[in-house]
Amino acid sequence: MTLSFICNNITSSQPISKKELRNRSITAYVEGDLEIHVNKKLFFKEEGLLLVELYFSLKTWLSSKNKIIEDFRYESMDFEEEHILEFIERKDRTWYIHSEWQLFSAKNQSLSFIEIEQAANSFFLSIEEEIEKIFNLNIRRLT
């Protein structure tokens, strides 16, 4: 199975000061459009998501120190009442992706943890490059 994240139209919802750029408050201001594809089929599409917030949430989950990986649940400060994105582990140690905003159910499609990691790493690189280009900021230093 293939999983991919595509980010577009990354902007700031308001001017960001140099001080805010140096700390993680940038997560509240940087928005963009996110598409997620499952087996090359559009699974999720949303505009104006806090992509740096998702970046840090997903990065923290994948770098779990105790290596006991729990389900990933992304909730945003913009949309607190529901999970925007979830990776849920099954009993057979495979995973599936779910979102309240999904365009189709992918529950019957299995992902390995490695496939999630690979897609996330591609997403991280894309966000890092865009933030560097737009804001002249290396967000890897903020993690």
Side-chain angles (χ1 to χ4, degrees):
M1 185 157 118
T2 60
L3 176 70
S4 63
F5 295 85
I6 299 171
C7 306
N8 294 302
N9 302 320
I10 296 174
T11 62
S12 174
S13 60
Q14 65 184 53
I16 303 174
S17 70
K18 289 187 187 276
K19 181 181 177 186
E20 289 168 323
L21 282 174
R22 287 190 299 269
N23 64 43
R24 288 179 85 173
S25 64
I26 189 174
T27 60
Y29 303 123
V30 177
E31 299 176 345
D33 304 342
L34 178 65
E35 291 183 8
I36 301 173
H37 295 257
V38 175
N39 286 334
K40 299 183 180 180
K41 184 176 176 187
L42 184 61
F43 168 79
F44 175 98
K45 182 176 182 169
E46 191 63 35
E47 298 176 355
L49 284 180
L50 296 175
L51 294 177
V52 176
E53 180 187 55
L54 174 59
Y55 169 95
F56 285 122
S57 294
L58 196 51
K59 205 163 206 30
T60 299
W61 179 67
L62 289 173
S63 65
S64 173
K65 298 290 185 239
N66 61 14
K67 293 301 175 195
I68 298 172
I69 303 296
E70 297 178 357
D71 294 349
F72 173 73
R73 289 185 169 83
Y74 170 58
E75 299 170 342
S76 174
M77 60 183 92
D78 276 354
F79 306 100
E80 294 176 0
E81 62 276 354
E82 55 195 30
H83 301 296
I84 294 173
L85 182 64
E86 298 176 281
F87 290 110
I88 302 167
E89 187 176 23
R90 295 186 177 109
K91 290 180 182 178
D92 68 357
R93 311 281 296 160
T94 62
W95 297 76
Y96 70 94
I97 187 171
H98 176 265
S99 172
E100 291 298 319
W101 304 342
Q102 66 193 23
L103 300 175
F104 66 92
S105 174
K107 191 169 185 174
N108 64 346
Q109 300 185 41
S110 296
L111 286 165
S112 71
F113 189 75
I114 290 171
E115 289 170 316
I116 296 170
E117 277 184 309
Q118 290 171 340
N121 285 330
S122 178
F123 168 71
F124 298 152
L125 184 60
S126 174
I127 292 293
E128 290 162 2
E129 289 173 350
E130 287 298 309
I131 297 300
E132 178 77 34
K133 184 172 64 175
I134 296 168
F135 301 104
N136 195 27
L137 175 70
N138 181 345
I139 64 171
R140 289 180 298 276
R141 293 182 182 164
L142 301 178
T143 57

